[in-house]
Amino acid sequence: MAVFLTAALLTMACPSMAFDMSQSTRCVAIPNQMKVCKDVGYSEMRLPNFLGHSNLEGEVVPRSEDWRPLLQTGCHPQAQAFLCSIIAPVCLDTFIQPCRSLCVAVRDSCAPVLACQGHSWPEALDCDRFPAEQDICLSHHTKFNHFTKDLPKPACQNCPSVEEAPATKRVLDSFCQHDFAVTAKFHRRRQPMGEPEYDIEGRVEFIRQGPLLPYDTRHLLQQWLLINLRCANVLVRPGRSQLYVLTGSVQPDGTLALTFLFTWQKKDANITVATRKWKHHRC
Ligand SMILES: *[C@@H]1O[C@H](CO)[C@@H](O)[C@H](O)[C@H]1NC(C)=O
C-alpha cells in the first residue's frame, strides 16, 4: 500500500516535467547568497530543481537573482513561496510542486508587473505544467486576498509627465485637478546589494491627502517605483536622490495613477509659494 501510494503521488506530482525521483537527487542547504529563497520557511532544498538546474553556484543561485526585481514589487503574497518551490524545492521525501491554482493566482497578479518591466511570463512557469490536485501540491491560500482590498494599489502605468520650474498657478491647478498631492524624495542606489535599487528617502509629506492613507503612502510609492522600473530609470539617476511634488489620482479600480511630477529644487520658490497658498486656495 505504501509503495503504491508513493508511486501514485509521484506520477501525479510530475505530469509533464518528466521528473524522476530515481534519478539521483541531493539535498543541500539553501545558501545565504540565494537571497530570494533564504527566508522562505525551510532551510534545505533538493537538486536538481524543477527547472532542471543542478549546479548550485553556477546556475541555481545566479539565476535566482533574475527574480528579485519581481519579488520586490510584492506582486502576490505567495509569489516567493511559488517561485522557491520551483527553483529551490523543499527537501522532503517527495517533490512538492506548486498547484496549478497557485500558479494561476501568482501569474495573474505578477505577469502584468513582469510585462511592465519588459519581460513575458516564462514558459518554464506555464501553469498547465503543474498539478490540479489540491492535496499533493503547494496550494493557494485565498485568505491572503481580502485584507488589502480597500487600499490604493500601485500598478503599471504610462510614465507621468515631469515639469521643471512650473509657475505657481500651474502647481495649484494640478493640486485641484487630482485626488492627491505629496512630496517624496526618490532615491536610486548605484549598486543594489540585495536591496531594491529604488526607494523613498525620508518622509512623504502630504499637501493634499485625498484617498491616501498616512501610514501606507511611503510603501505605496516605493512599490510604484519597483513596478514602474522604466519610469523610475528616467526619474532618478544612479546614486542620486530627487525631490518631487507628485500629483495623481486613485482610479475606480483602486489603482494609483501618478499624473504630474514637479521637480522641486531648493531654490524653486514657485512651488513653495503654491504649497503655502494651497491651504486657503479655492479650486
Ligand atoms: C516662477 O513662475 C514664473 C511665472 O509665474 C516663471 O516665469 C518663472 O520662471 C518661475 N520660476 C521658477 C524658478 O520656476
Side-chain angles (χ1 to χ4, degrees), residues 112-178:
V113 175
L114 209 52
C116 198
Q117 299 176 345
H119 307 286
S120 52
W121 188 252
E123 216 161 288
L125 303 189
D126 178 0
C127 295
D128 290 342
R129 295 179 165 215
F130 301 115
E133 289 75 17
Q134 297 293 325
D135 50 346
I136 50 135
C137 48
L138 185 65
S139 58
H140 175 219
H141 299 293
T142 44
K143 68 172 164 127
F144 282 125
N145 286 346
H146 18 244
F147 77 98
T148 54
K149 200 160 45 183
D150 299 326
L151 301 178
K153 285 182 226 14
C156 189
Q157 64 163 88
N158 294 327
C159 296
S161 314
V162 179
E163 292 185 32
E164 284 181 30
T168 297
K169 181 171 185 311
R170 175 89 189 91
V171 179
L172 283 170
D173 286 349
S174 185
F175 292 172
C176 286
Q177 284 157 11
H178 299 102

Side-chain angles (χ1 to χ4, degrees), residues 165-167 268 270:
D268 194 329
N270 288 354

Side-chain angles (χ1 to χ4, degrees), residues 77-102:
Q78 282 183 277
Q80 183 197 28
F82 166 71
L83 191 73
C84 291
S85 74
I86 294 163
I87 64 174
V90 61
C91 195
L92 296 176
D93 290 346
T94 181
F95 277 106
I96 309 286
Q97 284 190 294
C99 297
R100 190 174 304 163
S101 59
L102 173 60

